[in-house]
Amino acid sequence: MSCQHLKSMGKAIENGNVLEVKNLIKLALNKGCRPEVILQEGLLKSIDNVSEKFKNKQIFVPDLLLATRAGNAGISYLSSELLLKVQESFGRIVIGTIRGDLHDIGKNMVKIFFEIAGFEVIDLGTDVPVDGFIDAAKKYDPQIIGLSAALTTTMYGMKDVIRALEQDGIRDKHYVMVGGVPITSSFARGIGADIFDPDGTSAVVKAKRILKCANF
Ligand code: B12
């Protein structure tokens, strides 16, 4: 079984062992394990387990930070390996986490889902002010602007980005895609977003549909 090495991923992430996480990804790729499987069954499942343990007070903030670091290192390692292979681009996306919000695991997951699907992704990072999204929209002219938020206090910043796009007269040039733990479809509709998905993989399908990609 080509993906069997992923079984050890949970421990490696929980222990914050960046080197081991990278080795396991490398091994899985060399054995022919599909990147989507490495992401979903390896990285995402392990991070979910860590989140659950944190919720149940089995681990604490320092453990969570170490695990997050290892998870993010795994995501960017997988991403760099894949970028070497992706030739064709379906489109360009700018993505970032809303101002005041430092959560980036979900955003990084979505980023890699899109990279696997052949999109060029420009990552603005976390704590991105409204102007950061507007400047990037003008600079990179992406088809899609992705907004991520994990806090109920920051999610309303998504509306500010959409309003700023309208005020600058460039709202019609970009689709706005939103997601994150507190985001619901009614919230997304209410602020006028074009794409919402609670899960990054379906977001890719929805984005391709909205962009009417030729081979979809
Ligand atoms: C890890 C974590 C942290 C880490 C973040 C590290 C990092 N680099 O990201 C640290 C320890 C730093 C942290 C800090 C805080 N956190 Co925190 N954190 C979490 C935790 C446990 C996991 C989040 C996570 O990464 N999940 C895994 C990823 C893969 O899932 P995800 O984010 O949901 O992303 C998926 C989808 O939502 C979606 N998605 C995400 N973004 C996007 C974008 C688009 C465009 C699309 C389409 C989809 C999409 O796709 C992803 C993949 O499927 C959650 C609890 C939870 N179960 O969610 C709390 C949680 C989000 N944190 C919370 C809080 C309160 C905080 C703090 C305020 C705590 C404090 N008092 O200091 C600070 C805030 C810091 C800040 N300013 O941002 C609360 C938020 C509550 C609320 N109602 O707002 C939560 C829900 C915990 C809780 N139950 O109380 N946190």
Side-chain angles (χ1 to χ4, degrees):
M1 229 260 284
S2 57
C3 298
Q4 63 182 348
H5 299 99
L6 298 182
K7 284 183 195 149
S8 318
M9 187 74 85
K11 267 275 150 270
I13 288 196
E14 201 180 321
N15 292 338
N17 192 337
V18 173
L19 200 64
E20 179 68 1
V21 170
K22 287 184 184 173
N23 280 338
L24 289 169
I25 294 173
K26 195 173 186 172
L27 214 57
L29 283 171
N30 287 343
K31 295 277 178 190
C33 187
R34 290 206 326 274
E36 304 91 289
V37 179
I38 298 178
L39 195 62
Q40 294 272 21
E41 297 299 314
L43 294 168
L44 189 52
K45 208 179 245 179
S46 307
I47 291 166
D48 276 350
N49 284 342
V50 169
S51 297
E52 200 55 33
K53 285 193 175 177
F54 180 67
K55 203 167 97 189
N56 298 332
K57 298 191 169 47
Q58 289 168 276
I59 61 165
F60 301 97
V61 172
D63 312 301
L64 186 62
L65 285 173
L66 277 179
T68 300
R69 194 177 60 119
N72 271 336
I75 293 171
S76 66
Y77 179 69
L78 182 60
S79 166
S80 63
E81 287 290 297
L82 293 171
L83 280 180
L84 298 176
K85 294 177 186 103
V86 172
Q87 304 287 330
E88 184 191 6
S89 173
F90 276 118
R92 187 177 300 139
I93 295 188
V94 157
I95 194 166
T97 305
I98 292 289
R99 170 151 233 172
D101 203 323
L102 301 175
H103 295 83
D104 65 355
I105 305 178
K107 183 260 300 163
N108 293 344
M109 287 274 173
V110 174
K111 173 183 169 187
I112 199 175
F113 285 139
F114 275 87
E115 284 177 345
I116 288 172
F119 284 83
E120 180 193 348
V121 185
I122 292 131
D123 184 0
L124 303 181
T126 59
D127 193 18
V128 183
V130 171
D131 284 353
F133 287 105
I134 303 302
D135 292 348
K138 291 176 182 164
K139 183 171 176 192
Y140 301 108
D141 195 24
Q143 283 96 335
I144 297 175
I145 299 173
L147 310 175
S148 179
L151 300 171
T152 44
T153 46
T154 57
M155 60 196 263
Y156 294 95
M158 293 177 165
K159 193 176 178 181
D160 298 336
V161 175
I162 294 178
R163 200 179 295 137
L165 288 168
E166 285 165 358
Q167 278 166 359
D168 268 45
I170 54 172
R171 175 68 183 94
D172 292 346
K173 293 179 73 188
H174 315 279
Y175 292 108
V176 175
M177 175 174 75
V178 297
V181 200
I183 311 303
T184 59
S185 57
S186 64
F187 175 79
R189 242 193 333 272
I191 62 167
D194 304 300
I195 308 170
F196 160 70
D197 202 88
D199 169 305
T201 33
S202 312
V204 169
V205 173
K206 291 176 183 172
K208 281 189 172 182
R209 196 175 293 145
I210 213 167
L211 295 176
K212 298 184 182 66
C213 283
N215 64 346
F216 187 70

